[in-house]
Amino acid sequence: MSDRKPAGQFLDAAIDLLRRVRDEEADGIEAAGTLLADTVQSGGRLFAFGAGHSSLAAQDVVYRAGGLALMNLLTVPGVVGVDVMPATLGSALERVDGLASAVLDSSPLREGDALVIISLSGRNALPVEMAMNARALGVRVIGVTSVAYASETTSRHSSGTFLKDHCDLVLDSKIAVGDAELTLDTVPAPFAPASTVVTSALMQAVTATAAATLADRGVEPPLLRSGNVDGGHEWNGRVLEQYRDRIFYRR
């Protein structure tokens, strides 16, 4: 470690990762944003899924000021977030075979929709099966993951494959295996994870691309405004009503 304080070191590490994503994933971000724009324009619905802390980046683009109103959260009980008790149960559920099938069978996902699956490691059964089964339904799948895990760890799915192997598009977050940017001689474990910062930025970059792509085509992007600015509630009410058949978080 350098002589800089840990806070500065972490922020530098996060900035470096964001620069890598900006430079190395530019084509993928453009393609993913275009895929979402195509889905919106063709009448499809948008969904995002993540388990555990990966769910934070998924939740960040749902019912979000400045975000696409059509982005819905695909939820799996006990997995989205860390509010399940005990918290370790969420990690265990990610490894359960067949859970993804049960969720998709009861979800509104259908052919022509788009699903963003966020999983840092991409190695557990849930995200792998989610991608496999969604594509079998005719859903376009975007995976947001750290590709490094596929070469440095083994899959926990019976197929031996990772999330990245079952996606129409893959965005690599560049996060190192273990998701910890800092080490100190006085601290027995690496610390300071950056995956949430980077993955959330990736998701917002894709959303921004989708909105701009729709506008370039002469289609008004279905964007939400902040409810804390004058006229925001009225604006959002109009958008939510216009697209009510493609929005599931308001029901």
Side-chain angles (χ1 to χ4, degrees):
M1 261 181 139
S2 70
D3 293 333
R4 295 200 61 188
K5 292 183 178 181
Q9 293 171 347
F10 171 75
L11 290 171
D12 285 345
I15 290 168
D16 288 344
L17 283 164
L18 289 170
R19 284 176 174 150
R20 283 191 63 197
V21 165
R22 178 196 64 193
D23 297 339
E24 299 173 22
E25 297 299 303
D27 291 344
I29 291 170
E30 184 71 23
T34 300
L35 189 156
L36 295 190
D38 291 344
T39 304
V40 171
Q41 197 168 4
S42 64
R45 293 87 56 81
L46 309 179
F47 295 85
F49 167 77
H53 286 93
S54 289
S55 72
L56 296 175
Q59 293 178 61
D60 190 47
V61 293
V62 177
Y63 190 53
R64 187 70 160 86
L68 293 172
L70 272 60
M71 184 64 78
N72 300 278
L73 187 67
L74 182 63
T75 59
V76 178
V79 169
V80 178
V82 292
D83 57 342
V84 62
M85 292 293 179
T88 51
L89 175 60
S91 298
L93 289 173
E94 287 187 66
R95 305 179 189 184
V96 174
D97 292 335
L99 181 56
S101 297
V103 169
L104 290 176
D105 287 346
S106 60
S107 80
L109 268 170
R110 68 187 185 193
E111 184 177 1
D113 292 344
L115 170 62
V116 183
I117 300 177
I118 304 169
S119 174
L120 178 61
S121 73
R123 68 187 299 216
N124 290 311
L126 183 56
V128 173
E129 290 184 357
M130 187 78 74
M132 294 172 67
N133 294 346
R135 291 183 84 192
L137 292 173
V139 173
R140 302 292 299 279
V141 175
I142 300 170
V144 183
T145 187
S146 169
V147 173
Y149 276 83
S151 60
E152 299 180 37
T153 69
T154 57
S155 171
R156 290 180 174 141
H157 186 252
S158 58
S159 67
T161 59
F162 288 76
L163 168 63
K164 74 174 188 64
D165 299 316
H166 304 284
C167 299
D168 295 281
L169 291 169
V170 175
L171 298 178
D172 184 4
S173 64
K174 317 295 181 182
I175 301 296
V177 173
D179 191 17
E181 294 300 318
L182 303 184
T183 59
L184 276 175
D185 293 341
T186 54
V187 178
F191 59 103
S195 60
T196 303
V197 173
V198 176
T199 305
S200 292
L202 265 171
M203 291 295 291
Q204 293 298 344
V206 170
T207 299
T209 300
T213 300
L214 287 168
D216 287 344
R217 297 173 180 177
V219 177
E220 181 182 335
L223 296 170
L224 295 171
R225 289 188 173 183
S226 171
N228 296 314
V229 299
D230 292 342
H233 285 300
E234 292 76 14
W235 172 281
N236 291 342
R238 176 183 66 80
V239 174
L240 294 174
E241 180 60 29
Q242 180 180 352
Y243 293 97
R244 62 183 306 167
D245 61 328
R246 298 157 75 179
I247 296 172
F248 301 94
Y249 52 79
R250 59 175 289 172
R251 298 178 182 177

